[in-house]
Amino acid sequence: MQQSPPQSRHLEALLDFYLASGVDAALGDDPVDWVRLTRIHAEQRQQKTPMPPAGQAGSGAGNLDQATSTAANLPAAAAPSTLAGATAAGQTGQRGSASLTDHGAIPDQAAIAAARDLAAGAANLEDLRACLDSFEGCNLKRTAKKLVFADGSPDARIMLIGEAPGRDEDLQGKPFVGRSGQLLDRMLQAIHLDRSSVYIANTVPWRPPGNRTPTPQETEICRPFIQRQIELVNPDVLVFLGAASAKTLLGVQDGIRKMRGRWMAYSINGREIAAVATYHPAYLLRSPLEKRLSWRDFLSIHSKIVQQ
Ligand code: URA
């Protein structure tokens, strides 16, 4: 079989994504650039009505519902544990330490406190990566092959956050490089973005064994790091890929069907970052019909960055 050149393979992949999103017929003689149209509509709306602050009603594409949630609503992590062997950071003056119990397990509360202390002290992204490399408070690190810290540009205006790395990501040390990552690339391409124009990370930076869901404790231990990562990247728009990352970072309880496409706010240092959840690409691979809705979400994301 004849191989298509790389450029046309990209175009074929993009057409596949359009097709799966329900764009299956050309209704006119002239092609319609929906991304350009969304931008023009957004600009027109912006001229008519002054933009409300990020995360408040009326923003986003079309009539997307609105909800405001703040990271401040999140349950505060509990105080350092008194479990045997736990040395929480701050108690000992030793940053980021959490020693093992007699049973070889790391006590969760001590690990959470150590993670918080370590993350807060990271001055920049490289420092944060180094903190994670040296952190021994999460058991997932013991089974993972590599730390999966981030991909893309730290200067990006859009930051996408998934749940946890899978097998391919663990092997390469980069988020979203497997099948779901390839679909994500096509979705980004559909709104004229690529990996160099976004920043991608996960709530949990180590692969859980067998791709199981991270436990609430593991997620809680990793949460200070991703929170600091968001703070350091300081994007204009946050995109949660799947419900898990949105629940962890926004404290929302809704399922993804209810939550997706609604603009929310992620509060950090007195600033609100516009945030939206959309279907996880892995889910879209299993339920291709839902790509129609994720296409809407991506158009909404596109118009949000134009507005800001
Ligand atoms: N799924 C995720 O949530 N993150 C990855 O990096 C890959 C798959």
Side-chain angles (χ1 to χ4, degrees):
M1 208 176 87
Q2 216 186 341
Q3 277 280 323
S4 346
Q7 178 67 12
S8 60
R9 277 205 303 278
H10 277 139
L11 285 174
E12 282 164 21
L14 187 57
L15 282 174
D16 270 354
F17 176 67
Y18 284 141
L19 199 61
S21 306
V23 187
D24 58 359
L27 296 178
D29 289 337
D30 299 319
V32 178
D33 184 344
W34 288 105
V35 172
R36 200 175 135 262
L37 272 188
T38 325
R39 187 169 58 230
I40 291 170
H41 288 161
E43 282 164 0
Q44 284 169 348
R45 270 201 305 277
Q46 212 175 355
Q47 278 159 13
K48 275 199 211 124
T49 26
M51 271 298 295
Q56 287 183 15
S59 57
N63 54 1
L64 291 167
D65 294 333
Q66 197 67 38
T68 301
S69 162
T70 63
N73 298 338
L74 288 168
S81 156
T82 51
L83 278 172
T87 51
Q91 286 182 320
T92 58
Q94 213 183 331
R95 268 189 38 191
S97 71
S99 51
L100 303 182
T101 61
D102 293 346
H103 312 291
I106 295 160
D108 295 335
Q109 302 308 331
I112 293 167
R116 282 216 202 124
D117 189 55
L118 207 50
N124 53 45
L125 289 166
E126 273 319 297
D127 212 8
L128 187 65
R129 182 199 282 267
C131 287
L132 277 161
D133 264 331
S134 69
F135 183 62
E136 298 300 334
C138 182
N139 291 317
L140 291 176
K141 188 179 180 183
R142 302 183 189 191
T143 47
K145 289 195 169 48
K146 284 197 175 146
L147 167 72
V148 178
F149 184 65
D151 194 19
S153 164
D155 300 322
R157 295 181 59 205
I158 303 185
M159 177 167 178
L160 300 114
I161 306 180
E163 184 179 23
R167 184 177 167 275
D168 296 314
E169 289 76 19
D170 186 42
L171 290 172
Q172 292 189 39
K174 265 193 196 178
F176 286 97
V177 289
R179 275 186 71 222
S180 59
Q182 286 156 19
L183 174 58
L184 178 63
D185 286 342
R186 296 202 285 278
M187 292 158 75
L188 289 172
Q189 205 180 359
I191 55 165
H192 302 176
L193 295 173
D194 59 23
R195 282 191 184 235
S196 64
S197 47
V198 298
Y199 185 85
I200 311 178
N202 280 304
T203 311
V204 169
W206 294 284
R207 180 196 185 200
N211 290 354
R212 66 162 169 76
T213 304
T215 64
Q217 289 79 3
E218 287 158 355
T219 305
E220 207 46 32
I221 291 167
C222 295
R223 189 154 67 93
F225 294 109
I226 184 69
Q227 284 174 323
R228 183 73 183 132
Q229 205 166 353
I230 297 172
E231 204 173 359
L232 291 168
V233 174
N234 195 23
D236 290 336
V237 171
L238 272 173
V239 179
F240 296 107
L241 298 169
S245 55
K247 286 181 179 176
T248 303
L249 291 158
L250 290 174
V252 288
Q253 293 306 323
D254 292 334
I256 189 68
R257 278 170 198 279
K258 193 155 175 216
M259 186 196 315
R260 60 143 283 280
R262 270 173 19 205
W263 282 99
M264 300 176 267
Y266 178 83
S267 296
I268 200 154
N269 294 337
R271 177 178 170 232
E272 299 216 315
I273 301 178
V276 71
T278 188
Y279 288 128
H280 193 288
Y283 171 73
L284 293 176
L285 288 172
R286 297 191 301 273
S287 312
L289 274 183
E290 305 285 19
K291 285 181 186 165
R292 292 156 198 243
L293 295 175
S294 65
W295 168 233
R296 276 199 217 165
D297 298 343
F298 271 68
L299 282 178
S300 173
I301 293 161
H302 180 266
S303 74
K304 184 60 106 185
I305 35 173
V306 172
Q307 285 164 15
Q308 291 208 340

